[in-house]
Amino acid sequence: MKKTCFPLFAVFMLLPACGGSESETQALTPERKTATSDMMQVGAGRDWPLAGGDVGGTYFSRLEDITPENVSSLGLAWDYPLYTNRGQEATPVEIDGVLVTSSTAGRAVALDAATGEEIWRFDPEIDMQANRVACCDMVNRGVAVDDGRVFVATLDGVLYALDFKSGEILWQADTHDGSGRGLSSTGAPEVAGDVVLIGNSGAEYDVRGFVTAYDVETGAARWRFYTVPHDPEAGPQENPELEEAVTTWDPESRWDVGGGGTVWDAIHYDPEFDAVYIGVGNGGPYHRAKRSPSGGDNLYLSSIVALDPETGRVKWHYQETPGDSWDFTATGPMTLTTLEIDGEETPVLLHAPKNGFLYVIDRRNGKLLRANALVFQNWTSGINAETGRPVMTPENADYSTGPKIIYPGTPGASNWHPFSYNPQTGLYYGAVLEMGNLMMMTPGQKPYKEKGINSDASLIFTPDLPAVLPGLPSFVQEAVKALPEWSRVEEGLDKSELRAIDPLTGETVWAAPYAGWQDRSGVLTTASGLVFAGDVRGFFNVYDAESGDLLKSIDTGASIIAAPMTYEVDGVQYVAVMAGWGGGGWPYVPRYGAAYERRNDGRILVFKLGGGETPKPDKLPPLEPAPAAPEDLFADASPETIAHGRALFFDNCAICHSNQHRSISPDLRRMQPYTHEIFNDILLEGLLVQNGMPSWGDLLMEEDADAIHAYLIGEQRRIRAVELELQKEGLPLDQPSAALLSNY
């Protein structure tokens, strides 16, 4: 890719690099032999062959060399630059001294696990127009390695099989279903026997969710399971389970929008019961009243579905949030283990989805065994133990009748950040967020927008609500302040914590605070009694698994949201984690985050006992007042034109362009003269598509682009005047601000 730098927009740039039998085991390749022998135990051993370490996805390691007694000497062994300023959410895989992982948009790399020396790098051609339908950054959650193959999916929906040793492409498959809808891929593939599965993202857009199985050797599609039925007037559903599901939808549902239900994470193979468990996402539009007006559970939204890996047929399903209206996806990572329940050793699936509960589900049949609240929530008063269904409280959470403050908020009590189950302590460790949001929607039905955001909801998170509310219409202010949850908002009870949780009761044994509601990360635990977790401030932290005492904290200068992993090479234990701010809400960099102070350089960080200091990215330059906008450009724009531009901006652009200080997306209030000159070329012609800025020429006319430009120039003039005055008074330019997230 030719490197071309443009003022302001260059921030988008992806910088170029300037149990089987002995006879069965012997028949396997070295890679599969190692993985097979290691994975069948609880917890990873010398290698880390799966994203979650073992078959159960416990993120637990049996390694014990790094202990509470010696962890104080933990330091950097090596680091590897990823040449991007976008979010890093993957957990690497390591087999036989080779570490493999994925980065932004699905690029992949293999490194010497002891030295960090590059073995190969996979940098495929990616249609960066896919950013148009990627709500939550260009993240990628990892690779799968099996029988000498590395599987990775790119942002534009292509699944690749690579040679483990060379990185050469063995095959590739387009995972789109031919509908032309706005899907993208951000999740990790999962191997289940002789098939590899991948889902996709896009429930906020116009996608009908599905997961597809491909032959691991050839890439041929074996089967596809849709999570949402199609319009019954279009003919029979693809399988009998969808014929059952369609009865839980209004026949007059918004089939044109697609329905949502994307499987953007949480695909987990269980070899013990030969089942693939998929976590299904939210519905679209968000509110069931818009999506399925007469009601219904809307299967298989917000469900865990067990599929037969050979046929794709449903074995069982459990719907965690029937009729979801709150973006309560069931796509959080699952953990498979065995717990003693009522005197019986029971194979269970542990799951902490967005909706605020921790579920314990019988893997044999999908029966709910336990469901305990982790946080305050008001969409339900609890789960009926007999039926497994939540007891809904529409008086609290039905925002079709007016604005409502709903707990938990759409970021979820838990999200994609992996939990770790430690069989020695019996505790479940993970990031838990106590927060809500105000939810509102438009009256009537909005027209379908092809490859556009169709969620039809506006959100204000409760930490921001006191500051934002005075700017809303008086009737909205009155309605919100009359809600019983308003007192909770005023008390400021929101918090994010790393918790050690009893999985059968949901009780917190200990908790360590994160810095703010945007601060969450994945977790690793080890047999030596340690808990590893990074944070958005840029610290890599090690806790005592029993007490929660902080034993070691390394300032890396880079925000960490991914889950760490650990492995051993030549008798040395290493701990690795990927660093880089991004993901959902990626353009809103928290003021306490490392990416607010320093360059958001994506890196792989690897630590060992006796390691050295961790170098930090360079600090960002001091803030300066916004540059002057061209005086004669849209100087006579009418209020109607500016209002039209503002509406278009918030409907299409604001999900990426937060226009906040230190955002990792361009602040369009600070455009340089040259950017103003090529504004329409960028917006309509796709001048910077390869840099990550998609073209909008198929949706917007030139007069629309001019209206957006006029609105932004007005904002640039306004913010420049404000900042010049702040500078004159000697005050910081980055005064705290809040945001209304339309169609978040």
Side-chain angles (χ1 to χ4, degrees):
M1 180 178 70
K2 182 180 180 181
K3 181 181 178 183
T4 307
C5 294
F6 293 91
L8 187 64
F9 287 87
V11 72
F12 273 99
M13 192 71 179
L14 291 167
L15 298 176
C18 319
S21 67
E22 181 63 20
S23 60
E24 289 172 328
T25 303
Q26 289 175 348
L28 299 175
T29 64
E31 292 84 3
R32 175 169 276 193
K33 180 178 179 180
T34 301
T36 300
S37 61
D38 203 37
M39 288 188 306
M40 297 312 293
Q41 301 186 58
V42 176
R46 182 177 65 85
D47 287 331
W48 188 274
L50 293 169
D54 58 4
V55 165
T58 62
Y59 286 85
F60 169 75
S61 170
R62 304 192 307 275
L63 297 182
E64 299 181 293
D65 288 351
I66 302 174
T67 69
E69 290 72 29
N70 63 24
V71 72
S72 60
S73 71
L74 194 70
L76 189 75
W78 56 265
D79 65 345
Y80 179 85
L82 294 168
Y83 306 105
T84 177
N85 72 332
R86 303 298 283 268
Q88 304 301 320
E89 296 186 358
T91 299
V93 167
E94 185 277 338
I95 297 174
D96 287 344
V98 177
L99 184 145
V100 185
T101 192
S102 61
S103 179
T104 304
R107 291 162 170 82
V109 65
L111 307 170
D112 183 303
T115 66
E117 181 181 355
E118 184 177 302
I119 298 172
W120 54 257
R121 183 180 175 191
F122 177 59
D123 195 8
E125 291 187 11
I126 299 172
D127 181 2
M128 299 303 284
Q129 186 68 13
N131 278 286
R132 174 92 163 261
V133 292
C135 77
C136 304
D137 201 359
M138 293 191 282
V139 295
N140 189 282
R141 294 182 196 88
V143 302
V145 178
D146 180 78
D147 199 17
R149 302 180 185 90
V150 176
F151 300 97
V152 65
T154 53
L155 186 70
D156 57 347
V158 179
L159 178 64
Y160 288 90
L162 311 175
D163 183 88
F164 180 82
K165 294 182 179 179
S166 67
E168 294 181 359
I169 298 173
L170 301 175
W171 55 257
Q172 65 189 77
D174 184 347
T175 69
H176 292 73
D177 65 346
S179 65
R181 293 181 179 268
L183 67 83
S184 58
S185 289
T186 59
E190 177 81 349
V191 175
D194 61 355
V195 296
V196 56
L197 296 93
I198 191 68
N200 42 64
S201 309
E204 276 71 35
Y205 291 83
D206 62 346
V207 173
R208 178 190 178 207
F210 59 85
V211 63
T212 313
Y214 297 90
D215 187 288
V216 294
E217 292 189 2
T218 67
R222 290 276 199 89
W223 51 261
R224 173 169 286 148
F225 176 76
Y226 282 96
T227 61
V228 171
H230 61 63
D231 187 343
E233 292 190 1
Q237 303 294 331
E238 287 84 353
N239 59 56
E241 290 83 6
L242 283 175
E243 294 291 355
E244 175 188 357
V246 78
T247 65
T248 69
W249 291 71
D250 186 335
E252 303 302 320
S253 291
R254 289 297 304 271
W255 308 113
D256 58 330
V257 175
T262 49
V263 186
W264 53 267
D265 204 13
I267 306 174
H268 202 133
Y269 177 53
D270 184 349
E272 185 175 0
F273 299 102
D274 194 30
V276 175
Y277 310 123
I278 62 170
V280 183
N282 58 277
Y286 274 178
H287 202 293
R288 183 176 58 177
K290 294 288 186 81
R291 183 177 68 244
S292 178
S294 66
D297 285 352
N298 291 184
L299 287 175
Y300 292 95
L301 298 180
S302 302
S303 300
I304 295 176
V305 184
L307 301 174
D308 185 318
E310 183 66 28
T311 65
R313 297 291 299 275
V314 176
K315 289 191 169 188
W316 57 257
H317 67 85
Y318 175 73
Q319 190 169 36
E320 294 172 332
T321 312
D324 171 46
S325 293
W326 310 281
D327 189 19
F328 286 163
T329 64
T331 50
M334 309 169 194
T335 304
L336 314 184
T337 190
T338 301
L339 297 179
E340 183 178 331
I341 299 178
D342 300 328
E344 177 186 351
E345 291 295 317
T346 307
V348 300
L349 182 156
L350 304 179
H351 198 228
K354 281 188 178 184
N355 71 13
F357 287 90
L358 173 57
Y359 294 88
V360 182
I361 298 170
D362 193 319
R363 289 189 274 136
R364 296 169 295 190
N365 52 27
K367 179 183 177 182
L368 179 66
L369 302 174
R370 298 286 190 278
N372 292 292
L374 295 180
V375 298
F376 172 76
Q377 21 78 2
N378 67 344
W379 66 278
T380 173
S381 60
I383 307 295
N384 185 306
E386 295 298 321
T387 65
R389 295 179 63 86
V391 180
M392 298 295 194
T393 54
E395 66 275 13
N396 297 332
D398 183 6
Y399 58 98
S400 68
T401 60
K404 293 291 175 65
I405 300 171
I406 296 155
Y407 290 88
T410 57
S414 305
N415 206 297
W416 63 266
H417 314 82
F419 276 56
S420 176
Y421 176 69
N422 185 322
Q424 295 179 336
T425 64
L427 299 178
Y428 205 35
Y429 301 83
V432 177
L433 174 62
E434 296 255 12
M435 189 185 78
N437 49 215
L438 179 69
M439 298 191 76
M440 300 176 286
M441 65 182 190
T442 59
Q445 291 281 10
K446 292 183 70 175
Y448 162 60
K449 183 190 294 185
E450 182 180 356
K451 290 186 178 180
I453 296 176
N454 288 277
S455 53
D456 192 6
S458 292
L459 316 173
I460 305 173
F461 300 143
T462 47
D464 289 336
L465 189 51
V468 173
L469 191 62
L472 298 181
S474 58
F475 72 92
V476 175
Q477 295 184 47
E478 293 171 5
V480 170
K481 290 181 178 180
L483 296 172
E485 293 81 9
W486 177 245
S487 61
R488 184 178 182 86
V489 175
E490 288 186 306
E491 290 179 52
L493 300 178
D494 304 309
K495 61 183 178 181
S496 181
E497 295 178 325
L498 170 62
R499 295 184 184 176
I501 301 165
D502 183 323
L504 293 182
T505 66
E507 294 180 0
T508 297
V509 176
W510 59 258
Y514 284 106
W517 73 264
Q518 289 170 280
D519 194 358
R520 288 190 279 184
S521 65
V523 179
L524 162 71
T525 63
T526 69
S528 60
L530 297 176
V531 178
F532 295 83
D535 62 38
V536 169
R537 298 176 305 142
F539 290 86
F540 189 56
N541 304 306
V542 190
Y543 303 87
D544 184 285
E546 294 280 1
S547 66
D549 291 343
L550 181 63
L551 304 176
K552 177 73 173 180
S553 188
I554 300 173
D555 186 357
T556 72
S559 295
I560 299 171
I561 56 179
M565 48 82 77
T566 187
Y567 57 91
E568 180 184 301
V569 178
D570 295 332
V572 177
Q573 182 181 353
Y574 298 87
V575 181
V577 69
M578 298 184 69
W581 164 260
W586 60 277
Y588 294 87
V589 181
R591 294 166 67 88
Y592 54 77
Y596 198 86
E597 180 184 7
R598 299 179 181 274
R599 286 171 50 92
N600 191 39
D601 296 338
R603 292 186 293 166
I604 303 171
L605 300 171
V606 181
F607 304 92
K608 68 176 182 178
L609 296 177
E613 292 292 321
T614 303
K616 301 176 185 178
D618 293 338
K619 286 191 174 183
L620 295 169
L623 293 172
E624 297 288 345
E631 294 184 3
D632 57 345
L633 195 58
F634 299 111
D636 58 351
S638 68
E640 292 78 16
T641 295
I642 293 173
H644 179 55
R646 183 181 188 278
L648 288 171
F649 178 82
F650 280 99
D651 203 28
N652 299 291
C653 315
I655 195 169
C656 292
H657 294 282
S658 64
N659 287 355
Q660 302 279 312
H661 289 290
R662 302 304 199 195
S663 176
I664 60 173
S665 66
D667 183 344
L668 301 182
R669 306 168 305 174
R670 319 183 96 76
M671 286 187 280
Q672 299 290 339
Y674 180 63
T675 308
H676 284 290
E677 292 177 12
I678 60 173
F679 185 90
N680 282 13
D681 293 328
I682 294 169
L683 185 59
L684 302 179
E685 304 300 326
L687 183 63
L688 299 182
V689 167
Q690 286 308 113
N691 289 21
M693 170 62 197
S695 166
W696 292 81
D698 60 325
L699 179 67
L700 303 175
M701 306 293 288
E702 188 168 351
E703 54 266 33
D704 296 324
D706 288 344
I708 294 172
H709 199 178
Y711 161 69
L712 290 171
I713 282 180
E715 284 295 287
Q716 185 164 348
R717 290 170 178 147
R718 180 187 65 80
I719 196 66
R720 175 173 169 80
V722 169
E723 291 178 344
L724 286 173
E725 186 61 29
L726 290 170
Q727 186 182 60
K728 181 180 178 181
E729 296 177 12
L731 297 174
L733 302 186
D734 54 344
Q735 297 295 305
S737 62
L740 171 68
L741 299 182
S742 284
N743 297 317
Y744 174 82

